[in-house]
Amino acid sequence: MLYDFVIVGGGIIGLATARELLYRFPRTKLVLIEKEGTLASHQSSHNSGVIHSGIYYKKDSLKAKLCREGREAIWAYCKKRSIPFKTVGKLIVALTADEVQRLDDLYQRGMENGVPGLILVEGKDIKEYEPYCNGLKAIYSPSTGIVDWKRVCLEFAQDAKRSGAELVTSAEVTSIEKRSGSFIVSTPNNEYESRMVITCGGLYSDRLAQMTNGSPHPKIIPFRGDYLLLKKEKCHLIKGNIYPVPDPRLPFLGVHFTPTMDGRVLLGPSVVLAFAREGYAFDQLNMGELIETLTYPGFVKLALKYWKTGVTELYRDVVIDAYLKDLRKYIPEIEPGDCLPGPAGVRAQAVSPDGTMVDDFQLDYDDGIMHVRNAPSPAATSSLAIAKYIADALPVNTKMLRT
Ligand SMILES: Cc1cc2nc3c(=O)[nH]c(=O)nc-3n(C[C@H](O)[C@H](O)[C@H](O)COP(=O)(O)OP(=O)(O)OC[C@H]3O[C@@H](n4cnc5c(N)ncnc54)[C@H](O)[C@@H]3O)c2cc1C
């Protein structure tokens, strides 16, 4: 059978794209292929569960545009489908004079990005928003929320299925071969011929791009984020999201306090090199993948540049008291013994050979194939907008697709 679309990867981006393509081009034939037995097994279910408002991102970047559109779309979607979410808001808190300066810049950026309702909060007023939080100054964002992204993924999957998508799990794509006018996408047990292919492989997005002779750059470097969980009796200390002022050199938002939809409070995530692309703990090691990372010139340059930050992160990750010391700068009522080991996620961070971490979303289209090469946070928030962006970019001729 000749498909119109093969989507590789059943995370939030693949699922949102499947749904969008079938809404836009009904009666087309689409199959989504996922290597795991369950959809959304990786980043899309191992994250902070935040619906970002879009403060941080450079003006005119894809992140700024698609986060803004995606945030509005996801609110509407959750309401329509009765998916539980909460608009708990978010406070970005400056602790030092230097951070106050950066906070003011961040506020300007948030305003430029059209984030609704942002408020600059003086230190003495912080407790009106977060009664247990200390700080010199803060930004309050009322339009930040929380949701269970896995739940959203499963709803997207239902939509796609209802519109006729085939969702194939436990099938790893091992090659993508270009023929004249079509592609052959192979898994160990099957071959799928398709007019167009969209790869949304998260932690393996670079490998999938290379299957069609795409550039080996940027390479995905896996950065694990470990969370702590606040003891139940202390969860009342946190009302909404509390974030630090991020380090402008890095594409990570820093260790934050995040309430979850099931009533817990996550503290984290840290940023440490994962020893496997899907390595969720120190003892999950894939020697081949680790060597591949350590010998990548971009990683070597990155490590040389940020080795101090890396060592501090590693220390904090291993020594809970060090982690706690930082958290207590914001919420001094958190005491030793209040934090328990929590879940972990692995970020797929694209890194260029010169050691630059690719900040913006990167989607490369060429002659029938779209590779989503970099879709880090806030890609879950932006997922519905990314899906539209992909559908807009594909040169689909509706007549051609009426099979
Ligand atoms: C710790 C952490 C916290 C985050 N917090 C937030 C947040 O609060 N808010 C937010 O908006 N974003 C957040 N993000 C980012 C967000 O989770 C990701 O950007 C998003 O989930 C990416 O989705 P994806 O579909 O691209 O990747 P994934 O969810 O990783 O999906 C990729 C899929 O491709 C499959 N795959 C790979 N290779 C193959 C192959 N060869 N054949 C078949 N299948 C294959 C994988 O098994 C996987 O299921 C966070 C991410 C992390 C790691």
Side-chain angles (χ1 to χ4, degrees), residues 8-14 33-36 38-52 149 171-174 200-204 208 211 223 225 227 243 269 278 344-348 372 375-382:
V8 184
I12 199 161
I13 302 302
I33 307 171
E34 164 56 47
K35 68 180 167 61
E36 304 294 346
T38 318
L39 296 167
S41 288
H42 292 292
Q43 295 177 94
S44 300
S45 57
H46 292 78
N47 55 46
S48 300
V50 175
I51 303 177
H52 287 289
W149 287 118
E172 178 168 356
V173 168
T174 49
C200 312
L203 287 150
Y204 288 97
L208 287 161
M211 284 181 192
F223 285 104
Y227 293 91
Y243 277 64
E278 293 166 353
V346 184
R347 306 169 184 86
V372 179
S377 185
T381 305
S382 316

Side-chain angles (χ1 to χ4, degrees), residues 310-380:
V311 171
T312 311
E313 279 289 329
L314 190 61
Y315 177 70
R316 252 196 346 194
D317 198 58
V318 179
V319 182
I320 287 195
D321 280 352
Y323 215 109
L324 196 65
K325 203 174 145 202
D326 283 346
L327 296 170
R328 279 168 54 91
K329 290 178 188 161
Y330 300 89
I331 311 282
E333 272 80 359
I334 297 181
E335 288 161 14
D338 286 346
C339 300
L340 312 165
V346 184
R347 306 169 184 86
Q349 177 60 50
V351 176
S352 304
D354 66 359
T356 312
M357 289 191 253
V358 180
D359 190 31
D360 208 359
F361 296 146
Q362 184 177 333
L363 298 95
D364 294 352
Y365 175 79
D366 183 34
D367 201 17
I369 187 153
M370 168 74 81
H371 293 298
V372 179
R373 296 203 61 145
N374 195 43
S377 185

Side-chain angles (χ1 to χ4, degrees), residues 81-103:
R81 295 304 173 85
S82 307
I83 297 173
F85 66 91
K86 290 183 189 162
T87 29
V88 291
K90 158 164 154 176
L91 210 54
I92 305 176
V93 181
L95 295 175
T96 63
D98 176 49
E99 286 184 358
V100 167
Q101 175 67 52
R102 277 161 34 211
L103 188 89

Side-chain angles (χ1 to χ4, degrees), residues 151 156 196 201 254 321-322 374:
R151 171 81 201 272
F156 286 174
M196 290 190 187
D321 280 352
N374 195 43

